Amino acid sequence: MPKFGTRSNEVLDTLHPVLIYVLEEAIKTRDFTLLEGYRGKEKQEEYFRTGKTKLHYPDSLHNQQPSLAVDLAPWYPDTPHVRWNQREEFYSLAGFIQGIASTHNIIIRSGGDWDKDGDHHDQSFHDLPHLELESWPDD
């Protein structure tokens, strides 16, 4: 059974409890690594300058504490562990996690399908590692 490593656990500690719950359920079945949760002002502005985000600080859900956004990637036991060029695997992982979330009435939006229409080709900005918590029950 897959489990989070040290770095992923450090990222997990920065996330909203609802997002933590969904990711902990997902890791029981499918292996992936957490890259980033909470992001401070300096890093957010660096990402904006380099085109990795379209939002200035504090407008990203990564900038909230706890973070409502996470960047993650499929993890493979063989090197390279993260295969950035395998876009389909990022879409698949996002859909898998969204499916788990939806069974609990939790809505997660993917940076590969911002408008949530199921068409990955109509995006002007692709951020495949990005998932964000959009809504969840109040309990």
Side-chain angles (χ1 to χ4, degrees), residues 83-135:
R83 300 174 185 166
W84 297 104
N85 60 340
Q86 293 187 0
R87 297 171 63 90
E88 322 76 43
E89 295 299 321
F90 282 86
Y91 291 124
S92 175
L93 178 59
F96 174 73
I97 292 171
Q98 288 171 310
I100 289 172
S102 72
T103 65
H104 300 283
N105 296 316
I106 299 166
I107 298 174
I108 291 182
R109 184 166 75 158
S110 163
D113 187 19
W114 294 107
D115 57 5
K116 299 180 297 188
D117 67 354
D119 181 1
H120 302 133
H121 298 95
D122 67 350
Q123 308 304 300
S124 61
F125 179 69
H126 295 268
D127 188 358
L128 300 185
H130 181 85
L131 294 178
E132 61 186 37
L133 191 56
E134 193 169 88
S135 67

Side-chain angles (χ1 to χ4, degrees), residues 32-43:
F32 57 96
T33 184
L34 303 181
L35 305 170
E36 190 168 38
Y38 173 76
R39 185 182 305 147
K41 183 176 183 176
E42 185 176 315
K43 174 97 38 147

Side-chain angles (χ1 to χ4, degrees), residues 1-13 23-24 27 30-35 73 75:
M1 179 168 86
K3 64 178 186 173
F4 289 126
T6 303
R7 178 179 171 173
S8 289
N9 278 313
E10 289 171 1
V11 172
L12 207 63
D13 288 344
L23 296 173
E24 286 180 337
I27 197 68
R30 190 156 175 188
D31 208 359
F32 57 96
T33 184
L34 303 181
L35 305 170
W75 182 262

